[in-house]
Amino acid sequence: MNAIFRRRFLAALVLGGIVLTPTVGVAPPEAQSTDSRYAAIVVDAASGEVLFSRFADARRFPASITKVMTLYLAFEALESGKAKLDDNLTVSPRAASQPPSKLGLAAGQTISLDDAMRATAVRSANDMAVVIAEHIGGSEGRFTQMMTEKARELGMEHTRFTTANGLPDTRQATTARDLSILSRAVMRDYPQYYRYLGLHDWFYKGRDYRNTNGLLATGRGYDGIKTGFTNASGYNLAASSVRDGKRIITIVMGGRSTASRNAHVAELMDTGFEVQRRRGQGENIQLAQAFFEQRGYGVSSDPAPVAYASLSDEDGEGVGSSTEVAYVSGPPPRSLPTEVTPPPSARRAENRPPESLTAALNGGSAAAPTPPARATRNPPARAAAPAPAPAPAPAGRWTVQVGAFREEAVARDWLNNVSRRFSSQFSNAQRDVQTANGWYRSRFTGMTQQAAEAACEALSERRVTCMVVRPS
């Protein structure tokens, strides 16, 4: 009964066009759904100009991006002479007891400050962040006080630190804007040490560790900064890229997967550099935010929230969860879909993230017609093959939407991927990619209400965003 009430309440919010946004200063931060966790900001690193922002001042959980401040204070200690790269740090029982991701040294073992910083930046090692905190601050508690004091000094007005590694603590919160301030500060104040946050890999005691930030290896000018993930935060990323002598910093919080988050960051970053390029060519772009919004970022023509579809968790820093299912009634669309694409063949290579994955769940539209059956060809010197049986009539008029994308190929691949992974839930459904208003909507159509609701529940259990669309 409670589940039915939640669904009807959510439907009422969506149908009424009500948007609930987190309030600055309220603790703990909202973390119940993708919509409440999402935040983003794009900043010109040189001037500090905010090119784009969305919920940039809403309180969020920083997760492992916390470690950027831990390293900032380590860099400060190195510059002041209070610490040296070859200092031997002893692993305490408290540090050794930290959960993964971790380097895994036992209590009593030692490691140099240099290696501890590399482990923190590349491996996102929770134990090494505590080792650094204890070495510089005397205790993690004292060190986190130093972290919060430094945040205030830098102008991070809505940030409080209670852990050195970003593990879950409802008292620890920040904003996307504050993380952009921290990112600029570490580049500006310690350029000689910023390289730690851009290391692609690190070899230690016979093992090669690769950076959790997959954008570093894309060849698009990315040189830092830090990933982060907890169940409450979603997939976070602070990223920096330099192209044509200009640097842009992008922060995205609350992503649904590593792949979708990385792709969203890349799209925001590309748009930011497009603004810079056009300005360099003499185009008068006074308000960059409007430039982003004209391309669909930060605004939605439909009442449903922005969401990121996910089938797997790839950061290696934990596993997220979201069990909300959105039920919406399909309002009369402003314009009917201009094209219906038949189901694609499986072209996506395993583990290859889509190149463009800024997904949003949009309102319902008219059900798509069934694609025509392909004619069979008569082989030479043989009897004609019997015509295929006509497709069965749809069992119902309900639809399950699993995402909407700016790229048709991405929408096709995602629909095929979900169909393959959840074949039992969609065995009697039709697969359609429908286009309307610049979005390619990945949908399973021709379902009964019971089948659609059960399928969406199954997807939600696997942290795959979905939406049940009632018949219009």
Side-chain angles (χ1 to χ4, degrees):
M1 181 65 69
N2 289 337
I4 294 174
F5 176 78
R6 285 199 305 271
R7 294 168 188 162
R8 290 178 177 173
F9 177 70
L10 179 58
L13 293 182
V14 174
L15 289 172
I18 299 174
V19 179
L20 301 180
T21 56
T23 303
V24 175
V26 178
E30 295 285 347
Q32 285 73 31
S33 70
T34 301
D35 191 44
S36 66
R37 294 185 300 181
Y38 176 77
I41 192 168
V42 181
V43 178
D44 182 310
S47 67
E49 178 191 1
V50 175
L51 304 175
F52 168 79
S53 67
R54 179 72 165 167
F55 305 128
D57 294 309
R59 288 162 60 88
R60 299 289 185 260
F61 295 115
S64 284
I65 300 182
T66 296
K67 298 181 175 86
V68 176
M69 179 60 86
T70 299
L71 291 171
Y72 184 98
L73 292 182
F75 300 159
E76 184 179 67
L78 287 168
E79 187 174 73
S80 66
K82 296 179 180 179
K84 298 180 180 178
L85 288 174
D86 59 358
D87 284 352
N88 275 324
L89 284 56
T90 301
V91 179
S92 69
R94 176 182 176 82
S97 68
Q98 298 299 302
S101 295
K102 62 193 297 182
L103 191 59
L105 297 186
Q109 288 188 281
T110 61
I111 186 172
S112 70
L113 177 57
D114 177 50
D115 279 331
M117 291 193 303
R118 292 172 185 269
T120 301
V122 176
R123 174 64 172 167
S124 196
N126 293 322
D127 50 355
M128 293 301 103
V130 174
V131 167
I132 293 171
E134 292 174 341
H135 181 70
I136 295 174
S139 69
E140 185 181 13
R142 170 57 187 148
F143 186 80
T144 57
Q145 293 178 12
M146 296 166 58
M147 294 170 71
T148 301
E149 290 169 3
K150 181 59 64 175
R152 295 291 179 271
E153 181 182 321
L154 294 176
M156 301 167 64
E157 299 179 355
H158 304 293
T159 297
R160 179 189 181 190
F161 293 108
T162 56
T163 72
N165 50 28
L167 285 172
D169 188 321
T170 57
R171 299 169 298 167
Q172 179 150 306
T174 188
T175 66
R177 190 183 307 276
D178 279 3
L179 292 182
S180 72
I181 292 172
L182 175 59
S183 299
R184 289 187 71 211
V186 73
M187 300 172 194
R188 177 194 66 223
D189 299 341
Y190 303 108
Q192 71 274 34
Y193 297 121
Y194 172 66
R195 59 184 175 84
Y196 280 91
L197 291 161
L199 293 171
H200 289 222
D201 51 50
W202 168 59
F203 188 79
Y204 181 73
K205 291 190 174 181
R207 182 175 177 182
D208 190 33
Y209 297 93
R210 297 187 63 182
N211 200 306
T212 55
N213 182 0
L215 291 179
L216 293 175
T218 62
R220 298 284 292 161
Y222 293 97
D223 60 2
I225 296 177
K226 190 71 188 73
T227 63
F229 172 80
T230 65
N231 286 323
S233 72
Y235 289 82
N236 299 343
L237 177 58
S240 172
S241 180
V242 179
R243 303 175 195 174
D244 298 324
K246 298 183 181 296
R247 180 188 294 276
I248 289 179
I249 295 168
T250 297
I251 312 292
V252 165
M253 310 184 76
R256 286 282 296 177
S257 72
T258 301
S260 63
R261 175 205 63 194
N262 288 356
H264 187 46
V265 167
E267 289 186 338
L268 292 177
M269 194 77 81
D270 289 346
T271 305
F273 280 114
E274 185 179 355
V275 170
Q276 302 287 43
R277 179 181 60 80
R278 292 193 177 198
R279 283 175 170 175
Q281 294 174 348
E283 188 171 338
N284 185 19
I285 302 178
Q286 294 184 349
L287 187 61
Q289 178 81 19
F291 187 90
F292 276 81
E293 291 179 354
Q294 288 170 2
R295 283 150 181 77
Y297 301 109
V299 295
S300 176
S301 59
D302 296 286
V306 173
Y308 298 94
S310 167
L311 276 176
S312 62
D313 303 292
E314 304 166 18
D315 259 358
E317 297 182 75
V319 177
S321 62
S322 175
T323 58
E324 293 296 331
V325 181
Y327 290 79
V328 303
S329 176
R334 288 184 298 275
S335 60
L336 292 176
T338 58
E339 178 183 353
V340 177
T341 306
S345 59
R347 298 193 319 262
R348 181 179 176 182
E350 198 71 28
N351 299 324
R352 176 178 64 82
E355 296 179 357
S356 174
L357 194 54
T358 301
L361 293 179
N362 298 282
S365 63
T370 304
R374 291 182 297 178
T376 54
R377 181 179 301 174
N378 293 332
R382 296 186 62 181
R397 298 176 58 231
W398 287 67
T399 295
V400 171
Q401 181 168 309
V402 294
F405 308 85
R406 288 298 190 184
E407 299 290 338
E408 181 180 5
V410 174
R412 290 181 176 185
D413 288 344
W414 181 246
L415 186 63
N416 186 71
N417 199 338
V418 174
S419 178
R420 177 174 56 85
R421 296 291 295 272
F422 295 89
S423 58
S424 61
Q425 282 77 21
F426 299 110
S427 59
N428 296 320
Q430 300 169 9
R431 287 175 288 169
D432 288 324
V433 173
Q434 302 174 0
T435 64
N437 302 318
W439 289 97
Y440 294 88
R441 300 170 179 177
S442 304
R443 291 181 164 186
F444 293 92
T445 63
M447 303 181 70
T448 64
Q449 177 180 356
Q450 182 179 4
E453 292 178 356
C456 212
E457 291 283 3
L459 267 64
S460 295
E461 290 177 0
R462 294 287 303 276
R463 299 173 298 281
V464 179
T465 300
C466 68
M467 181 173 67
V468 174
V469 182
R470 302 178 188 275
S472 56

